[in-house]
Amino acid sequence: MISTKGRYALRVMLDLAEQHSDSYIPLKDIAERQGISKKYLEIIVKTLVSNGLLAGASGKGGGYKLSKKPEQYKVGQILELMEGTLSSVACLEDPDYECPRKETCQTLPMWKEFDQMVHDFFYSKTLKDLM
């Protein structure tokens, strides 16, 4: 399941993309438009800035803006940054995990196929597609 952190990060990114601005947008404006607590958004944008998805500036005229064009952001990139892996089962979540049933698990191929479909779906969508 995608948490509020992932969904809200996507909403912040989309909100900024829809502003069509090279100026910094105050977080309070985004919070008001999206109906999300500014305090919660501060946690989310910190991660987005530290990973280069957003640029941030403090002080008068400060706020946040996209680091790239909307078409350069994959939805999957944003969700995985905020959520971690989007794997459906624990044994596929950690690549170093050695499941004792790996060789005999009859459902593993299905989970791998499902995870690939989820990955392909989210990575086929960009912020621009959602605008």
Side-chain angles (χ1 to χ4, degrees):
M1 179 184 321
I2 309 292
S3 71
T4 56
K5 209 171 191 180
R7 294 192 323 267
Y8 289 0
L10 197 53
R11 285 170 57 183
V12 167
M13 299 289 290
L14 191 55
D15 185 288
L16 289 170
E18 289 175 332
Q19 300 311 307
H20 305 289
S21 175
D22 285 331
S23 301
Y24 289 95
I25 309 292
L27 191 59
K28 69 175 184 62
D29 294 353
I30 300 167
E32 286 173 13
R33 279 193 297 271
Q34 295 301 316
I36 303 170
S37 152
K38 182 178 175 252
K39 202 82 162 148
Y40 192 40
L41 287 186
E42 287 171 355
I43 297 165
I44 291 169
V45 296
K46 181 178 179 182
T47 300
L48 295 170
V49 169
S50 66
N51 285 275
L53 275 70
L54 293 182
S58 55
K60 186 175 165 104
Y64 299 91
K65 66 180 181 177
L66 298 180
S67 302
K68 303 181 280 190
K69 296 180 185 309
E71 59 270 17
Q72 294 177 295
Y73 291 96
K74 302 287 186 180
V75 169
Q77 171 192 24
I78 298 164
L79 291 176
E80 284 188 339
L81 173 64
M82 301 310 293
E83 300 291 335
T85 177
L86 298 176
S87 293
S88 56
V89 290
C91 62
L92 294 176
E93 187 173 29
D94 179 2
D96 296 327
Y97 177 72
E98 282 300 319
C99 177
R101 296 187 34 84
K102 184 178 182 177
E103 300 304 319
T104 59
C105 182
Q106 293 175 296
T107 63
L108 184 59
M110 176 190 66
W111 295 123
K112 285 182 176 179
E113 183 180 356
F114 177 74
D115 284 0
Q116 190 62 53
M117 288 188 320
V118 169
H119 177 274
D120 293 349
F121 176 79
F122 285 127
Y123 275 86
S124 71
K125 308 280 183 215
T126 67
L127 284 182
K128 185 170 183 168
D129 295 330
L130 300 178
M131 293 172 64

